[in-house]
Amino acid sequence: MNRDYTNEDAAFGLSYALGCALELTIAVWLLVNGENYRPFSTWLAYYLFVQTGVVVLFGFWWYGCWAYERHATPWYLAGVASLIGAICVALDRLFALGFQGWDVALSFSILYFAAGYGIWRLVRSFVIRSFNILLLAVSQIGAAWRGELRH
């Protein structure tokens, strides 16, 4: 099968995730703890935020196209929602940003949404397969009743 978005390209693109995580960590650190380097630290932090934001948006689009080719877009969106929630919680734990109330609730709701969506898809798949097996069994019983089965 000839695809525009190959698995090799997807694996290579994941190396940029480490760089983006490092840039975001440095940017948050500069905003929270960089008082000695003001105003340069503020400008550098915002530059890193913008640069990382552009790379992350392009990556979300590219991997969205990659998932679309494989008919896995809902799983991709659930994974992205889960990742966003986990990043929010990790940044709060790492830098003690002081998320209060709705911030933590929002990040955990994104995680719960992704987990709930995944569970719903698994249960739905199980029910559909079970129904297909039941339908096949009823069909075989009907064929046996009519004498159409061969041994």
Side-chain angles (χ1 to χ4, degrees):
M1 178 179 294
N2 190 11
R3 294 187 169 169
D4 293 329
Y5 303 95
T6 64
N7 291 339
E8 292 82 17
D9 291 338
F12 178 73
L14 287 177
S15 64
Y16 289 103
L18 180 62
C20 288
L22 184 63
E23 284 182 359
L24 282 178
T25 304
I26 291 171
V28 171
W29 181 85
L30 284 172
L31 285 178
V32 173
N33 299 322
E35 294 90 17
N36 297 334
Y37 308 107
R38 301 247 190 247
F40 179 70
S41 65
T42 305
W43 284 103
L44 182 60
Y46 286 126
Y47 172 74
L48 289 174
F49 275 132
V50 169
Q51 179 180 348
T52 303
V54 168
V55 170
V56 166
L57 287 177
F58 177 76
F60 282 157
W61 171 79
W62 193 92
Y63 281 102
C65 293
W66 177 83
Y68 180 76
E69 272 190 346
R70 286 148 182 81
H71 306 290
T73 308
W75 288 104
Y76 170 74
L77 293 176
V80 167
S82 176
L83 182 66
I84 290 170
I87 288 172
C88 289
V89 171
L91 284 176
D92 183 47
R93 301 279 190 245
L94 186 62
F95 294 109
L97 297 175
F99 287 157
Q100 298 295 325
W102 68 270
D103 299 341
V104 175
L106 175 67
S107 62
F108 277 113
S109 69
I110 292 172
L111 284 170
Y112 291 143
F113 164 75
Y117 181 74
I119 290 170
W120 176 79
R121 291 287 298 210
L122 288 174
V123 168
R124 179 179 175 262
S125 173
F126 177 75
V127 168
I128 288 172
R129 287 183 181 162
S130 299
F131 181 75
N132 285 338
I133 290 171
L134 180 64
L135 187 63
L136 180 66
V138 169
S139 172
Q140 292 294 321
I141 290 172
W145 184 266
R146 292 186 302 271
E148 296 174 358
L149 282 182
R150 295 181 187 174
H151 296 286

